[in-house]
Amino acid sequence: MPDLKLPSRAEDFAEWYNQVVLRAELADYAPVRGCMIVRPYGWALWENITAALDRRFKATGHVNAAFPMFIPKSFIEKEKKHVEGFSPELAVVTIGGGEKLEEPLVVRPTSETIIGHAYAKWIQSYRDLPVLINLWNSVVRWELRTKLFLRTLEFYWQEGHTAHATYEEAEAETRQMVDVYTDFAATEAAIPVIPGRKSEGEKFAGADVTYSLEAMMGDGKALQFCTSHNLGQNFAKAFEIRYLDQTGQLQYCWTTSWGLSTRVVGAIIMVHGDDQGLIFPPRLAPFQVVIVPIYKTDEEKALVFETARKIRAELVAAGIRVKTDEREGASPGFKFNDWEMRGVPLRMEIGPKDVAKGAVMLARRDRPGREGKSPAAQQGLAATVAKALEEIQAALFQRALDFRKSLTFEPADYVEFKTAVEKGFAHAWWCGSSDCEAKIKNETKATMRCIPLEQPGGQGLCIYCGQPAKDKAIFAKAY
Ligand SMILES: [Zn+2]
């Protein structure tokens, strides 16, 4: 096990990211360019993400189902904007079982079309509404510039698809999911996000309105955390999703879709990590606590291991995810560094002296060195650990929020704006014109991330053209 230092984040953020993902064994490259292999440690993180979201989806009345990976190519072509948006990145199957297929099949890039087909069959009357289904699956969008978790040809995600009787209900659903995701981001991932509307140019292919949650990464760039789309009647009209209303009139449904992907793993890495490696928020960490036994002689080893196993059992019984590092031939110092790099929020050291005193030593990952270390009694340890994990969770959120505030600027003019987007977010008045948006993108490489739902009110002058503007938007370079 080589113990090479990671590149510092200030020196090469991209290389720090690549190396930490590989060395922490979160994911690996696959033989097919653009694909990724998610390793058990990375998958455990994703499982905790899915569990935290799934709980929230079910609490808001949604149910899970599974839809096929193959979609008839003609389906994708039914919604005009959808096909324009997705055509360049489709994977198409033309041969099956050695025979040329009559109709090519698309590997799903997203499931709106096949959902539309099924909903048209299932929905007849207003009594069948709303339909609130979520899918956990993977989708394929052809992509050759691999960046593990952030940009891959196949990625894992969930896609929610709902159908409603009215526009108001569909909009309420779209916004409800924005709130669900915002709560997940803050509470579970310890990531402050800015919920807002996408511009016409950045919205989902086939949506009336796209909402996104934008987060600031550790290098000041933005990452779109997830999206929620009000699809209006676009897919309902393309797929004939209709219902008889209470007066016996045939009406088109209003549909929504919303999704969050394994990109969020990338966000967690980039928001919380430091030069030593990952820092996982306790609520999502695969292991919340790592126990490192410290001993020299065989007698000490027997004593320390016995205590470590007893403590582990108590913590596990209290619902805490614990790993005991019993590796032979690796020094405690090596193990400390290794688990620091892998982002375990709390380390517990147990040596012969601790056993004699009925104590352990705790070390917080978010506070390196002496500052984060404190002794704790073995008596009532599960409660002490649970409290420490909550404190770490809260501290990570606060640190991310302070960092975002420190790199969010209110530029007074376009010169200041250009400096702002080199460092972080520019929060600026925007007239709403796609022309200004495009020029800003060309000149600064910063994109309009979202028009935050929270607006200052009043009006100002567009940062680019100086025309009256009623919305302030977030501009940034983005992943
Ligand atoms: Zn303008």
Side-chain angles (χ1 to χ4, degrees), residues 429 455-461 468-472:
W429 292 103
Q455 284 291 325
Q459 64 167 18
L461 301 176
K470 60 178 180 29
D471 292 317
K472 267 195 150 177

Side-chain angles (χ1 to χ4, degrees), residues 430-433 436 462-467:
W430 173 53
C431 65
S433 122
C436 289
C462 176
I463 195 71
Y464 190 82
C465 68
Q467 293 299 305

Side-chain angles (χ1 to χ4, degrees), residues 194-197 427 448-456 471-474:
I194 302 172
R197 246 180 324 120
H427 185 221
M448 208 289 280
R449 303 313 307 156
C450 73
I451 302 156
L453 297 179
E454 207 181 300
Q455 284 291 325
D471 292 317
K472 267 195 150 177
I474 298 285

Side-chain angles (χ1 to χ4, degrees), residues 148-183:
L148 294 170
F149 293 113
L150 296 175
R151 201 186 297 116
T152 50
L153 185 153
E154 180 190 16
F155 58 86
Y156 299 88
W157 74 342
Q158 58 70 217
E159 41 176 324
H161 294 275
T162 69
H164 306 265
T166 65
Y167 167 82
E168 288 73 21
E169 282 175 42
E171 180 62 14
E173 166 78 9
T174 314
R175 293 291 292 268
Q176 169 184 256
M177 299 326 288
V178 168
D179 293 344
V180 164
Y181 287 136
T182 303
D183 175 62

Side-chain angles (χ1 to χ4, degrees), residues 21-22 24-28 37-39 41-42 149 269 278 280:
V21 167
L22 294 172
E25 299 179 347
L26 295 176
D28 206 347
I37 297 166
V38 183
R39 300 185 68 173
Y41 195 52
F149 293 113
I269 295 167
L278 303 167
F280 284 143

